[in-house]
Structure formats: C-alpha cells, structure tokens
Amino acid sequence: MTADISRVWDEVTGHLRRILNPDTFDRWIAGIVPLALDGGTCRLGVSNDMFCEWLANHYQDIIAQALEKAAGRPLKVVFESGHDRPRPAVVRAAPALVAVAAPATAPTEDREESETSRYNRRFTFENFVIGENNKFSYAACYAVAKTPGKAYNPLFIQGGTGLGKTHLLQAISQEILSRKRRAHIEYLSSEEFANSFIDALRDRTMPRFRQHFRNVDVLLIDDVHFFTGKEQLQEEFFHTFNALYNAHKQIVLASDRPPHEINGLEKRLVSRFEWGLTAEIQRPDLETRVAILRKKQEDHAIKADDATIDFIANRIRSNIRRLEGALIRLVSFSSMTGAPVTLALAEKMLQPMFDEEMGNALSFERIQKVVAEFYDVRLADMTSKRRPANIAFPRQVAMYLCRRLTEHSSPTIGEAFNRNHATILHAVTTVEARLEKDSDLRQSLSVLERKLKS
Ligand code: ADP
Ligand code: MG
C-alpha cells in the first residue's frame, strides 16, 4: 500500500509540475505529504487548516484528475492538516516575501533597488491624464501622497478594469519615495499579500510577517477583491489594518467594485474599508480618451495623426489599457512594415479590439432585449423612468441578470439602466427574495438564462 501511494504520488506530482506554474507548484503542491490510499480514498497531509481549505477550494479537482490517471481509478481526495514535509533547501519566494523575509537586515542599497523596480516608471502623477471621470480619484490620491495618513484614511479607489487604479496606486508610492527615499512603503496585490501570509504560516514565521506589515508607513493593496472568502487571511488583514490605522499610517486600497459588493468580504472589513474615502474612477469621455492617446504618444515616443487618434478614441470607450494597446499595436505594425498609419490600416488592424469592445457594450443591451421580449414590454422601458409594476419587475429581472451573468459591478450596470448602483442592488435582492417562494419565476429565469447563454 505504502509503495503504491508513493508511486502514484510521484506520478501525480510529475504531472502537476508540468501543468502548473513553478511558484504555484512550490507553494501548494510540493509540501503535500502523501499519506495513504485506502480503498477509494487518497489521504493527503498538509501543514495546517488554511492549507486544507485553500487546496480543497482551488486545487482539489486537478489533483483528483491527476490521481485518477495515475491510479487508474477515481479516488476521493481528503486533506488532513498537521503533517509537515521536511522543507526543501531552496524555495521560491514571491516578490513580497523577499521583503518579508529580510526586512531589517537587507542593505539599504538593495532595498532601494527592489522598491523602485516594483513600480512601473510610467505610472506617475505627471503621466496621468485628468478628466471628468477620474479627477476626484486623482485629487484624493494626490492628497494622500502629499500628506500620508492625514488626508483620507483609508482611501479606497474603485473602478473597472483598465481605468487607472494601479497607475494611481503606484503614482502615490513613487511620489512619496521621490521625496523620502527611505519611506517604508509596501505596495502589493491582495494576492501577493495572501501568498506572503500563506508562506509565513507554512514557514512558521508569522511574527516576522506581522512585524513587517504592521510597521510600514504606507500600505497599498491593489485588487482587494481577491480577499474574498479566506477567513484566516481576512482575520490577519483585519489586525494589520487596525494596527496601521491606529498608528495613523496610510492605507490605500483598490478594487473593481465597492467594498460592500465584494462577495465574501467580512462585514467588519467592509465597514473599515468604508471608514475613509471611497473614490470612483468612471469611464473616460471622448475628450479624455483623446487626451490620453495624445499623452501616450509622448510616453512611448510614437506618432499617429489626429484623424487616427479620433478614430481610435471613438471606437474604444471602456478601457484605457485597451485604448493604449490599440495605439501601440497600430504604430508598431506600421514601423515594422513601413506601411504608413492611415485610417484604412487602423480599421483593418484594430477590428478584433473593436469587436471585443462591442462584445462588452452589447451584453447589457442583449440582456435588456431578451428580457423585454420575454415579458412583452418595450426595450425603451428597460431604461425609462416609468414605474408601473408590469414594467418595473421585468426591469428588475434584467438588472438581476446583468449582475449574475456579467462581471460588471452594480455602478456600471446602473449606467446601462440610467439608475444608480443602489437601485441595482435593490433589484437583485428583490428578485432573489421572490425566487425563494415563486417557482414560476424560477422557471422563467432558467428559460431566460438559457436563451442568453445560447
Ligand atoms: P487598472 O489597474 O484600473 O486595471 P491600470 O492602472 O493598469 O488599470 O491602467 C491601464 C493602463 O491605462 C495603464 O497603462 C495606465 O497607464 C493607463 N491609464 C489609465 N488611466 C490613465 C490616465 N488617466 N492617464 C494616463 N494613462 C492612464
Ligand atoms: Mg490594476
């Protein structure tokens, strides 16, 4: 039996090593201790409960598949905590962990180097184009960079993908570092924070982890929506937050949705995230999109004529990363092939990006259309202010489906319905409550979902 599990596990790890990226493999798989194959069950040992939970949530399926292949039969996977594997000599470290592992002893030179290389040099306040959509967030970030811990604490930046959240967070860090080179700033994604936490648990270096994160001057966490549903991690972050907040250290958070919409985020964290200021970045208007493209030309030392810039700005509306990508793609194609940048070239080269953009823009409209047809109301009533119940409810159903079937946050969905995000949230809870008791509605919704997915 023992020989059997070793052989099977060797094959499983061989396979997983090939398909997972090396960091993931080292962090999650290498430390697993194969315990036994008992009948239809494979028991795997890991160091603690956090590992059990994480593996069960994220890697159970691929481990089970690999096991089935290696053992020649399906096996149930059971994780057991309290089993440590002797540590291998070399363990890969996440960038943040390097800082965690050697905060006090690293020579200053090294620290400065690693501090600056973590940032994109272009992500500064000077390079940030201010428009109606982002001026509030810009001002808040700028104030925080000038007087960390004093202006707004915490500062929560919310906005859709590619609208400049990371740019602003890094601008704060770089601005503070430009004035005070040795300021102790920790900028990382919530995923990196999670990884450092897991590593500290595994390596039993929690005191050092705490000592490190609770003593920074400024903590900036990007993409905090990744914190969802990880209890121990949220607990730890809660204490980190309190320690920093009480010491008047600046905390800045960024996410694609407001705190109360982050699924699985503990209430006490939601409320803390809302203690300070929440600033939203909206989609840029045409004027801002043109200004951004002009600025990007300078940043990248490239040149396109005004007609081409207008053309791109008119077609790509929802994501600045994509806007920038379109320009770079066009200009690099032209410089590689010697073909001049013309509207015709732009039209041909950028079509896939426009399609992608349309795909995003259309989905709300498609949902509205399908729902309107189903309930036999006019499409215009999906966005109108009229309130009779025979219109209001279908509209709520459409809002509910937009929330469920797309990745968009409720403020974004609100825009598509001419409403604010609270209306969308209200629609979602109303429909959910009715779904519990109303089997006809359940059936209607499953018909609608099937239509939309086909
Ligand atoms: P997010 O983190 O919100 O997904 P990023 O901060 O990564 O978005 O921004 C995506 C790209 O768009 C980056 O190259 C960034 O420099 C650029 N960008 C976003 N907003 C602006 C702006 N207002 N001015 C200049 N560049 C911007
Ligand atoms: Mg980002």
Side-chain angles (χ1 to χ4, degrees):
M1 220 21 130
T2 324
D4 201 20
I5 177 91
S6 311
R7 178 194 65 76
V8 167
W9 190 246
D10 277 350
E11 207 174 314
V12 168
T13 49
H15 172 67
L16 295 178
R17 198 186 281 283
R18 281 191 301 276
I19 64 168
L20 295 173
N21 88 36
D23 283 338
T24 305
F25 183 87
D26 287 347
R27 176 167 289 117
W28 298 112
I29 310 296
I32 297 176
V33 186
L35 298 175
L37 282 179
D38 309 326
T41 302
C42 176
R43 289 170 42 232
L44 300 172
V46 294
S47 55
N48 57 48
D49 290 347
M50 174 83 190
F51 254 85
C52 282
E53 188 194 320
W54 199 297
L55 282 165
N57 285 338
H58 294 84
Y59 298 106
Q60 177 126 2
D61 290 349
I62 62 170
I63 292 175
Q65 276 165 16
L67 270 169
E68 177 169 353
K69 224 169 116 214
R73 63 196 151 106
L75 290 167
K76 187 164 163 246
V77 182
V78 175
F79 297 107
E80 288 179 19
S81 62
H83 297 273
D84 268 329
R85 161 160 259 183
R87 296 280 319 281
V90 184
V91 174
R92 271 165 210 278
L97 183 71
V98 177
V100 175
T105 49
T108 327
E109 292 294 306
D110 283 5
R111 201 180 107 203
E112 271 166 17
E113 175 127 330
S114 72
E115 291 280 334
T116 45
S117 61
R118 213 179 301 160
Y119 304 114
N120 184 327
R121 279 174 194 285
R122 290 189 300 108
F123 290 1
T124 58
F125 285 123
E126 295 81 69
N127 288 344
F128 192 82
V129 176
I130 304 165
E132 280 304 314
N133 63 313
N134 59 27
K135 64 179 188 198
F136 185 54
S137 298
Y138 173 90
C141 288
Y142 194 76
V144 157
K146 287 296 173 200
T147 52
K150 300 213 169 65
Y152 312 107
N153 208 13
L155 172 61
F156 192 100
I157 301 292
Q158 180 230 315
T161 313
L163 291 185
K165 301 181 296 295
T166 297
H167 188 134
L168 282 176
L169 257 53
Q170 294 202 10
I172 295 175
S173 307
Q174 303 199 75
E175 170 68 28
I176 297 175
L177 286 171
S178 75
R179 284 200 320 270
K180 199 173 157 202
R181 287 179 55 142
R182 308 198 37 192
H184 196 170
I185 297 180
E186 192 61 72
Y187 161 78
L188 71 178
S189 69
S190 62
E191 186 169 12
E192 286 169 323
F193 184 84
N195 286 342
S196 296
F197 173 66
I198 302 292
D199 289 351
L201 272 183
R202 181 195 58 201
D203 301 345
R204 304 185 198 292
T205 51
M206 274 315 287
R208 206 149 64 178
F209 174 92
R210 293 193 175 121
Q211 152 84 12
H212 175 74
F213 281 103
R214 294 181 191 183
N215 286 293
V216 298
D217 299 321
V218 184
L219 178 65
L220 305 102
I221 307 235
D222 209 343
D223 294 329
V224 288
H225 37 266
F226 192 77
F227 273 144
T228 65
K230 302 180 179 80
E231 261 174 50
Q232 259 182 295
L233 175 67
Q234 292 196 27
E235 163 100 28
E236 185 59 36
F237 188 67
F238 176 74
H239 294 298
T240 306
F241 185 104
N242 290 343
L244 292 174
Y245 186 85
N246 292 334
H248 307 286
K249 304 297 188 189
Q250 180 69 48
I251 302 161
V252 185
L253 307 155
S255 171
D256 66 357
R257 61 202 75 182
H260 58 265
E261 269 188 46
I262 303 178
N263 287 331
L265 186 66
E266 283 180 23
K267 280 215 175 62
R268 55 185 183 167
L269 276 178
V270 172
S271 86
R272 271 167 181 71
F273 288 3
E274 288 172 344
W275 266 354
L277 179 75
T278 299
E280 189 182 345
I281 310 183
Q282 275 145 353
R283 291 178 178 197
D285 56 19
L286 179 64
E287 198 186 338
T288 310
R289 297 199 297 275
V290 169
I292 288 173
L293 285 173
R294 296 232 162 90
K295 179 84 188 118
K296 295 297 169 185
Q297 292 198 90
E298 287 170 29
D299 295 354
H300 296 285
I302 52 182
K303 188 86 196 108
D305 60 23
D306 287 353
T308 309
I309 289 204
D310 284 350
F311 175 75
I312 298 175
N314 264 305
R315 295 301 186 90
I316 297 183
R317 294 151 183 253
S318 64
N319 180 326
I320 297 172
R321 185 177 298 117
R322 215 181 281 148
L323 198 64
E324 188 174 3
L327 180 71
I328 292 173
R329 184 164 166 175
L330 187 61
V331 175
S332 46
F333 179 83
S334 138
S335 74
M336 259 168 4
T337 59
V341 175
T342 58
L343 276 184
L345 180 71
E347 216 159 307
K348 197 168 121 220
M349 288 281 309
L350 303 178
Q351 196 55 49
M353 300 179 105
F354 298 155
D355 290 346
E356 210 178 308
E357 183 78 12
M358 287 299 278
N360 279 351
L362 268 184
S363 59
F364 294 148
E365 207 181 297
R366 169 123 198 280
I367 292 172
Q368 291 172 340
K369 199 159 163 235
V370 169
V371 173
E373 268 167 21
F374 183 85
Y375 284 102
D376 201 17
V377 298
R378 292 180 311 163
L379 178 58
D381 278 332
M382 285 288 147
T383 48
S384 76
K385 295 278 175 197
R386 298 200 322 134
R387 291 185 176 192
N390 66 325
I391 297 172
F393 189 67
R395 193 190 287 138
Q396 288 182 318
V397 167
M399 291 171 178
Y400 167 85
L401 286 170
C402 286
R403 191 75 182 93
R404 275 213 39 191
L405 302 180
T406 75
E407 289 286 296
H408 296 285
S409 65
S410 61
T412 312
I413 297 171
E415 277 175 36
F417 285 88
N418 275 326
R419 300 291 199 285
N420 64 21
H421 78 97
T423 309
I424 306 299
L425 290 183
H426 176 67
V428 171
T429 34
T430 307
V431 173
E432 275 171 355
R434 263 180 74 166
L435 272 174
E436 285 196 0
K437 330 184 258 244
D438 184 344
S439 64
D440 286 349
L441 180 61
R442 279 200 291 276
Q443 217 167 9
S444 304
L445 277 174
S446 81
V447 171
L448 281 167
E449 283 195 31
R450 237 177 301 128
K451 267 193 181 180
L452 286 163
K453 284 177 182 161
S454 68

